[in-house]
Amino acid sequence: MLYAAALAGAACLTPYVLRLIKSSNRPLKVSPAVAAAAGFAQNAVLFALVVFVGLLAAHAVGLGAPYVAALSGGAAPARPFASAMTMGAARGAAAGLFLTGADLVLLPRMPKLLELARRSTLLENFSASFYGGINEELLTRLLGVSGVVWLIGLASHSKPAPAPTPEWAVWTAIVVMAVLFGLGHLPATKAVAGKITGLILLRALALNGPVAILCGWLFWRYGIEAAIAAHFTADIVYHVGGTALLQANDRRRFMSWFPPPASVH
């Protein structure tokens, strides 16, 4: 079930990938369609490993996907599914508002990233939000956090067990993966901006770090499903809502500190 969701998320990323390819400064030896298809095939292989190894690591340290497990015949989680999803989505929406507010300050100082945001469509951003919510959470939380916790247990010479997991080990894993999650956005940013400046690095960590910590905590306490709900909702508010706000401002100019589109100069 998780792998099927990952494949769907990878397919939903295709429109946004095509946009990035067309916006990149790097010459391509193949057509954008072939490059996008190759990216999907790469994701199909990658997430087969991510889901398989991630579930093994999560089970070893008492984490995992409790609602998917319940559908597969496991015990019912303590918190009802609707309650967990609502809680995750509410926190994700708040995180999305934080991201939008931060970028309203930062993007005017990053002209190339601002122009990319202007060129992306609401449909592209909505579709890509499924990849962010599903695939990035499976990679960084199910595999990443679980794997780091398992490695900490291995390094401390304590045999990993389903329960209990030391809180310090989980928090260490959450913070480590939050930093890596922020840094993981830099290659795509560099392809658009041409180089990584101090401000771009700060933006990657300041925007992605807090959201990653929130999703890590949700994964720990309520399962990967709650983390996915939070990440997806944050992306919808930030990428879809933020883009709609930017497009509205370009038409009506109610945020005076934002530079106008290049075609207006």
Side-chain angles (χ1 to χ4, degrees), residues 67 77 79-90 225-226 229:
Y67 299 97
R79 180 183 289 268
F81 177 76
S83 175
M85 296 304 100
T86 301
M87 180 192 60
E225 300 90 344

Side-chain angles (χ1 to χ4, degrees), residues 78-238:
R79 180 183 289 268
F81 177 76
S83 175
M85 296 304 100
T86 301
M87 180 192 60
R91 284 160 174 76
L97 291 174
F98 161 74
L99 295 174
T100 303
D103 247 359
L104 290 178
V105 176
L106 294 173
L107 273 183
R109 296 167 172 80
M110 305 173 185
K112 291 185 178 180
L113 296 182
L114 177 57
E115 289 308 312
L116 175 64
R118 283 188 163 114
R119 290 194 298 272
S120 63
T121 67
L122 298 181
L123 179 59
E124 288 169 352
N125 290 337
F126 174 76
S127 181
S129 296
F130 286 92
Y131 183 90
I134 299 169
N135 298 63
E136 291 181 358
E137 285 306 304
L138 292 176
L139 177 63
T140 57
R141 251 59 71 182
L142 182 68
L143 175 62
V145 170
S146 300
V148 172
V149 172
W150 185 82
L151 289 173
I152 289 173
L154 202 63
S156 62
H157 305 292
S158 60
K159 183 179 179 181
T165 298
E167 289 195 7
W168 68 266
V170 181
W171 276 118
T172 299
I174 289 172
V175 172
V176 166
M177 292 311 302
V179 173
L180 292 178
F181 178 71
L183 295 178
H185 286 77
L186 292 178
T189 303
K190 184 179 180 181
V192 175
K195 62 178 180 179
I196 300 299
T197 65
L199 185 59
I200 288 176
L201 176 61
L202 174 64
R203 175 178 177 266
L205 295 175
L207 266 64
N208 295 295
V211 177
I213 289 175
L214 168 65
C215 290
W217 178 80
L218 288 169
F219 169 53
W220 176 26
R221 292 303 190 186
Y222 304 105
I224 194 63
E225 300 90 344
I228 289 173
H231 195 147
F232 174 74
T233 309
D235 277 4
I236 291 294
V237 172
Y238 172 53

